[in-house]
Every structure is written in C-alpha cells, then in structure tokens.
Amino acid sequence: MRAAADPWVPEVIGRYSLFRQATRRHAPSELIPAVAAAAAKRAYDKPAQKLKGIHPWVYAAMARDCMLYSNERRSKPVDDNALRQMHNYFLDSPGWDHSQESTTSIFTMLLGMAYEQTWYQKNPKNELARSYLLYTKTETPGLWQPEADEWQEVLGAPFQTALTASFILYALSCSHAGTFDPKWPESHGYSKFEGLIPAKELLRVLDLLTTTVEQAKDRAKEMPVPAGRYAFNPLIERPFVDLGDGLRYAPQPHFVLRAFETQNVYYRAMARWGDRFGQVFGSKVEAYTGMQLRHTGEQTVIPEFTWEKKKAGVMRSSDWFVVTPAATILIECKSARMTLEARAGNQKAESLLDQYVGKAYRQLAKNAEELRAGNPNFSHIPADRPLIGLVVTAERMFGSNSDRMRSRFGTPSLPVLTASLEDVETLSSLPPETLGEVLTEILEDAHLANQSLTDAVVRVIGPEAIPKNQLIEDTFNELTPFSRVEEALNRAGDTSPGFPSGA
C-alpha cells in the first residue's frame, strides 16, 4: 500500500522525480556523510576535471533533497553506483514538471541553470574581498550603517574574523572527508590557531553555519520557491549539518567558503535589520561603484549632481559619469537582485528585469537626451563623443544583456549594457583609452553584447591584458591572514590543499 503523501511536499511530476526518489532511498545519516566526503574530495578539482565527474551543484541537490524528503527509516546503502545513478537522473531532468512546460521559455530555462551552476565558477577571493569592502569600507556619509559589534551579532564574530573562520572551517572539512569536529578547537592542537581566531569565536561561527535535518525542513517550508531542481537549498545559509553523532558535515564545502560573501551577508543583514538595512544598501552599491571607478586614479569620474527643471523641480543626474577618449559613459546603480522565485527559472524573472533594469534604461535615456540637447547643467559632461549607458546591479542579473531584454528596454538615446559589481571591478581596472574602446566593440558585436561584461571583455582583449584590481588584491591580502592559516594547518599536520582560485 502506498504511503500517504506528505501534505507539504508538492508532487513533482516528470524526470526530476526520478532524482528525488533516488535520494529518498537513503537515510540522511547515510547519504549526507557520503556526499560530504565525495564533494570534499572534488573541491579543488579544476573546471575541466569537474566536467568528468559529479558536478558540485548535483552534490548540493542530493543533500538538499535527502534532508527535505527522506527519513531515517530508509535503509538502502550508499555506494559509488548510487551516487552516479543520482547524478545521471539529475542531468536528465529539465528543472520543471510537466505542468510548467507550456509556460517555460528558453529564457527562463537558461536563467534557472545559470543561477544554479555559474555560482560555483566565481573567484572566492574576489567574492570575500568585495563583501568586506562593500559592508565595512564603503562610506555613505549621513546614513546609518552597522557598527563592528552589530556585525559580530549577525556573523558570530567580527567581520574580518568571520571570514578567517569560514576559511579554516572550509580547509579542515575539505581535508577531513567533508567533516569538522567541534571538539578540535578545544584541544591542545588548536594552540597554533588561537592567535588567528579564538576558539570560542570559531565555534560561534560554526554554530551559526550549522543546521539539523529538521531545521532544514522547517527553513525550506518558509521559502516561497517551487519544489524541484531549482528549489531553495538551506545549505547555502547553513552549510554544515549536525546529524547527532558529534561531527558536523559539509555536503558542499563551497557553501562554507562563501558563507559570508556579499549575497549571503545581505540576506543575514536584512533578516536582522530589515528595511533599515535595505535602504542603506542601495547607497552602498552606488558608493562602492564610485570607489571602484576611482581606485586607480586614472579614470575621469564625475559624480551625480542635481539641477532645477521648470515645473518638475529638483532633478537628479545619473549616479556617475566616466569620461574616456572613445566614449562618455553614463551609469545608473541599482541594488536590485533576483528573488528566489526568479532564480528558480520562472516567469517572474522577466518582470523583475522590467522593474529594475528597464527603469534604469529610462533614467539613462533622459540624461542622455539632456546632455545632447545642450542643457547647461550638463556642460561639464563631454557630449562630443559617443554616449554609452551602464546599469550597475548589486549582483549579476543573468539574461539582462540578452537580445530579448535589450530590445525590450532599448532606447534610441544611447546603447546600454548591464554590469554587476563584479563587472565594475574589471572595467575600473582598465586604462581609460581601453575602457571606452572595449565597451564600444562589445556593443557593436551582437554575440559579445549578450554575455556578461567581464566575459565579453576577456574575449575582446584576452585575459592576460586585464590588470588585477589592486583594490580587491590589497583588501584580500589585509583583511584576513589566509596564508598564516595554511601555515598553521600544515604545522598541525592537517595539510591544507590551498585557497582555490575558482571552481
């Protein structure tokens, strides 16, 4: 007799159900340790190696679905064949059920896959440095922002210390089959680390990043995201699982290393301070963009200004202007980010792009029109060269540079591209004469214009021609002593495989 369906678990019809059924054959206490060990072993594989084995996002989905839908009454053993079978089922699943097929477009399908997979391809050094710079070093005069002790409440330790803790927890779990022993910081062997981070602070961060199976189920129920391949994964917030045997398991160690990247810190801060933080965050995105544009001292950067317009009153210009020999660049900054539902690849993604990116296009167009019309308030902005618009968003908005979206938002006043803060870090490191020329070449090539700006820049001038962002490099080198952590690990006999450069 078939067991009654869980009233909370939606019926997932279609090929993804085979993957979920496969994860449900195993008890969490069996599958979670097996996935943690396998994922830890592959954490330092190069991208080419990862393509030959189980993908990191599949390990994350295995652990998620097992925690959310299985129970300890399951008895099927976990072996390599079982993991490979789950992997194959996952690869054969479209990410939605049959009932959604008539409303699922190619655009939303690719969007779901992009948010699922490219997350693992980010450079973790840049991600952590950006988080620290954005939240603690970006000045927004006159506005409230969290103090150091307030961040400690949210992150379990001072911001800088929390980043160090995430690396120690990541390195140790990678070299110990995806596990971390909470008793270790209280042992004599931890003496080599006490000067880097006190044991009590490391344990506070560990607890902050730990969930139980029941807590994961409860958290998933709170999230308004359809069940399926692209469903919310509680491990992103709390990457360690406590199964009650004394150890903590990390089914996807990348989640540990990136526990305090920009996106995760944003949601923790919003949960703590709500709209108060949300309001200052938009100003931080704008200020961070300006700080990056100015960091080399080479770019001609002009900030936002106000002017009076008859009947309309006080008007605001674009947030930033960058003047290069080849083009004048108008910039609008938005703290926009995709909701969890949109990340899951549903139709809400397009409406969010309309709401945030489309609005920025219109703002850029109005400024371009004033500039070209010779508005004397814009006389300090060169209009004797092509105008290019940039919409800067807090995180990468996949699909925003697609032909589909740019034709929808497009304005005759000037061509526009969307850039994330990551892209701004790349663009701001280029010499002025290169910056304008590169953006012009990208806009003239339909294929390049569809890509993320960083990827397009790499294709135009080659990776070797892109200077390192010195602000990011200096911040990473100063904010937390990763090299000293590795030395301490090696002295303690727990050889660290090193800090990864990317997925």
Side-chain angles (χ1 to χ4, degrees), residues 111-333:
L111 201 66
M113 293 179 67
Y115 278 108
E116 172 191 66
Q117 298 175 19
T118 56
W119 188 89
Y120 297 90
Q121 298 167 12
K122 296 179 181 178
N123 185 314
K125 288 184 177 180
N126 290 8
E127 295 296 313
L128 297 183
R130 180 183 315 121
S131 184
Y132 185 71
L133 269 172
L134 179 65
Y135 292 120
T136 71
K137 299 299 183 182
T138 302
E139 297 181 357
T140 51
L143 296 178
W144 167 85
Q145 54 185 337
E147 300 292 340
D149 58 339
E150 293 178 298
W151 278 122
Q152 181 169 346
E153 179 185 345
V154 172
L155 306 181
F159 210 118
Q160 185 169 346
T161 306
L163 294 176
T164 302
S166 68
F167 177 57
I168 292 176
L169 293 169
Y170 168 78
L172 264 294
S173 60
C174 281
S175 58
H176 287 79
T179 68
F180 186 86
D181 186 351
K183 295 180 181 178
W184 174 69
E186 300 173 343
S187 69
H188 175 71
Y190 192 74
S191 60
K192 300 179 179 65
F193 296 85
E194 194 68 36
L196 297 172
I197 173 173
K200 63 180 181 179
E201 292 187 339
L202 181 71
L203 290 174
R204 278 206 304 268
V205 173
L206 175 65
D207 287 342
L208 182 76
L209 301 182
T210 297
T211 186
T212 65
V213 172
E214 288 307 313
Q215 287 171 341
K217 290 179 187 289
D218 291 341
R219 181 61 176 141
K221 292 176 185 179
E222 298 172 357
M223 307 307 289
V225 183
R229 174 170 167 172
Y230 304 132
F232 169 73
N233 193 332
L235 292 170
I236 292 175
E237 293 179 341
R238 294 177 175 265
F240 284 101
V241 182
D242 183 353
L243 295 173
D245 60 1
L247 296 177
R248 307 289 173 88
Y249 296 90
Q252 183 40 262
H254 283 293
F255 291 164
V256 179
L257 182 61
R258 294 168 179 171
F260 301 121
E261 71 171 13
T262 306
Q263 174 183 314
N264 284 343
V265 172
Y266 170 82
Y267 286 113
R268 290 184 184 279
M270 286 296 292
R272 173 65 179 84
W273 296 300
D275 290 342
R276 188 184 186 194
F277 180 81
Q279 291 168 3
V280 76
F281 181 74
S283 297
K284 279 190 171 291
V285 170
E286 180 180 337
Y288 182 86
T289 299
M291 181 172 66
Q292 283 290 346
L293 292 171
R294 289 168 163 156
H295 87 272
T296 64
E298 296 181 9
Q299 303 288 357
T300 300
V301 182
I302 302 170
E304 176 190 67
F305 56 91
T306 59
W307 54 287
E308 291 280 346
K309 187 174 184 179
K310 290 182 179 180
K311 298 183 181 181
V314 177
M315 305 293 291
R316 290 185 176 276
S317 74
S318 291
D319 296 322
W320 300 101
F321 300 84
V322 180
V323 182
T324 76
T328 295
I329 305 165
L330 288 67
I331 300 174
E332 286 288 342
C333 300

Side-chain angles (χ1 to χ4, degrees), residues 372-387:
R372 287 211 172 93
N375 184 329
N377 296 285
F378 285 75
S379 61
H380 59 303
I381 310 293
D384 59 346
R385 63 206 72 187
L387 303 182

Side-chain angles (χ1 to χ4, degrees), residues 12-26 31-32 35 54-70 76 81-96 116 227-233 235:
V12 180
I13 304 170
R15 285 168 285 177
Y16 190 79
S17 65
L18 296 177
F19 172 79
R20 177 162 296 166
Q21 289 167 11
T23 67
R24 295 181 68 182
R25 293 171 189 157
H26 309 285
L31 186 58
I32 296 298
V35 169
I54 295 177
H55 303 316
W57 51 90
V58 183
Y59 285 128
M62 288 179 187
R64 175 195 64 198
D65 282 20
C66 182
M67 285 195 303
L68 301 188
Y69 306 114
S70 187
K76 186 176 179 61
N81 287 334
L83 294 177
R84 280 196 294 271
Q85 184 183 55
M86 282 183 270
H87 186 237
N88 292 338
Y89 283 148
F90 186 93
L91 295 183
D92 196 38
S93 65
W96 56 82
E116 172 191 66
R229 174 170 167 172
Y230 304 132
F232 169 73
N233 193 332
L235 292 170

